[in-house]
Amino acid sequence: MTIRKPFANNAKGPLPRLFAALAIVLISIFVVQITSAYAFQLNSVELRLGIHNERSDFQPPKVALSHNFLGRLAESVSQDRARLLWSAYPASVRGQVFSSMVGGNDPLMNGGW
Amino acid sequence: MSCFRVSSGDLQIGDLTFSVRKQLPALSTRRKPHAWLVSASFDLLFICGLLPWILGFGAYIITGGDLNNPIASQSQHLATIFFVVSSLIIGEAHQFTSIIRYYGAFRSRTKAYRKQRIPFWIIYAFFLMLVPIAMILQSSWISGIVLFIFQIGVILFPVVLMQHFCAQAISIGLMYCRKEGYNLSRSERMSLSAIAWLLVGIGACTIAVPFGIARGPLSGVTNSCLLATGALSVLIFAAHVLRRGFVSNEWLPAGAGIMWANLAMFILLPLPAPLILYVWLFVPVFFHATQHWAVAWITQQNELVPQRNFAPNHRRLFGDICRLALPVQLINLLVLFSPLIVAQFRPDWSQILGGTGTLSVFWSMLVFYIHYFADRIVWRPKT
């Protein structure tokens, strides 16, 4: 008996297509969610995702993402070029978007994450 | 008794002679092997580093060069969404191509790669043994070891990232050289390696300073000397390559030359030329990550074509792209946003993974380190 892996080269039948369709749907949901989240403001993202519902001390972030993100990022990096590689690093960008800390500051030192 | 003899395009069978049309083309008219990894335009934009220059120029135009303008226009919104989403989908996902390969197809290899897998065992031991023991026993010296390993990993993270960045560009340049039959001598290889390490060192002192050091560790004069040394080394190597071209008619492949030149500029220019910061915003995604995706794609195609016994066509192209990208994207998003998923069931566990809905810096670094060590072995040819 041979077990076919979902993405094996000779895989046939509905399973690979089903898996691919499921993956496409999930990825689309993620992308739409992230894109629409960014298009508004971070506080609305967090509220809609329900992350901070339990926190009574939650305050909306001071830096709204509708501001000039790229400009602020470039400005922060130009002030501290020692963090250039890290600031442009995708994980850092994700962290800055989701923690509303725009700039090249050291996330470990300043608690950006 | 009949005999077969072929001479001068004639086939002689016994007493009969037939004129034979030559089927094989002359050696001189054969097509030269494909010099690019994917295609000329794709390689120039996504592998050799031309796209970050174009996008950086575009970002400069869109932001108007006015960094102090706090309110974003519609075009700035769109540019930022493009930047953020591509960072996630292309940039962060590239790490999982090597991780999935390491835990998947790579396992079927006969060679054990024991030495190269030692870092993985250290990571496993760190998480499966040291951390639980330190938490259960509340042992100070075990906690000290855990903290020490963790701090080394965190402090050196930007430097390791810089080394990874340089090493990948150098390796892909060598792939171009191999494809075009441009052989580097031992001294040339050593020079190239020395320049790469010099660039890593310069990067570690200027744009990738280890965490915990507030600013660059060196003074302005020392930094200038370092940059001058780096630029001089690159120019000497470039002069040698050009001389070899003129003297021996052996020219460095264009892809390697453009990519290495861009690599040097990306590391040497940020201090003397501040405007390159706009270009740098796109370098991790559209220079480093796209290089990685291209290598993953080529490796997949090279492994699929012998199995299928024919070259891929357009009909199979979409299927191959899905086969490569979909599992990677799915795992990428599931892992990076695992705190969101976990929060639905155990909010307290979600805080361990990251407090803002995505993986924290600690877990993101762990993903990077696994990618870094996997990357060193999984793309090697099977033979």
Side-chain angles (χ1 to χ4, degrees), chain A residues 9 17 45-46 51 57 70 81 84 92 95 97 108-109:
Chain A
N9 299 324
R17 288 173 190 163
V45 182
E46 291 183 331
I51 304 165
D57 60 339
L70 282 179
R81 269 171 261 174
L84 178 59
S92 175
V97 169
L108 294 174
M109 305 288 281

Side-chain angles (χ1 to χ4, degrees), chain A residues 7-9 19-24 26-27 30-31 34-35 38-39 46 49 51-52 54-55 65-75 77-86 88-91 93-95 97-99 106-109 112-113, chain B residues 67-70 72 76-77 79-81 83-85 87-89 91-92 95 154 157-158 161-162 206-209 211-216 270-271 277 280-281 284-285 304 307 323 326-327 329-330 333 336-337 340 356-361 364 368:
Chain A
F7 281 89
N9 299 324
F19 187 74
L22 184 68
I24 289 172
L26 278 172
I27 292 167
F30 267 118
V31 171
I34 294 159
T35 309
Y38 179 76
E46 291 183 331
L49 296 176
I51 304 165
H52 290 284
E54 305 297 323
R55 285 175 53 179
L65 287 175
S66 55
H67 287 186
N68 184 352
F69 181 92
L70 282 179
R72 292 179 67 88
L73 180 55
E75 183 190 15
V77 171
S78 67
Q79 286 170 358
D80 185 5
R81 269 171 261 174
R83 298 281 175 268
L84 178 59
L85 178 63
W86 165 245
Y89 186 65
V93 172
R94 171 169 52 85
V97 169
F98 275 82
S99 63
D106 186 342
L108 294 174
M109 305 288 281
W113 289 59
Chain B
L67 301 179
N68 295 317
N69 178 20
Q76 287 170 348
H77 268 305
T80 307
I81 289 170
F83 175 69
V84 171
V85 172
S87 281
L88 185 67
I89 301 296
E92 298 221 63
Q95 301 179 111
V154 169
F157 173 68
L161 192 59
M162 176 54 77
T206 54
I207 59 171
V209 176
F211 285 138
I213 300 174
R215 295 266 171 180
L271 283 191
L277 299 176
W280 244 105
L281 295 181
V285 177
L304 284 178
Q307 291 174 25
R323 187 177 286 116
L326 282 181
Q329 296 294 354
L330 189 64
L333 293 167
L336 297 187
F337 294 95
L340 272 182
T356 56
T358 62
L359 275 191
S360 67
V361 65
S364 297
F368 165 77

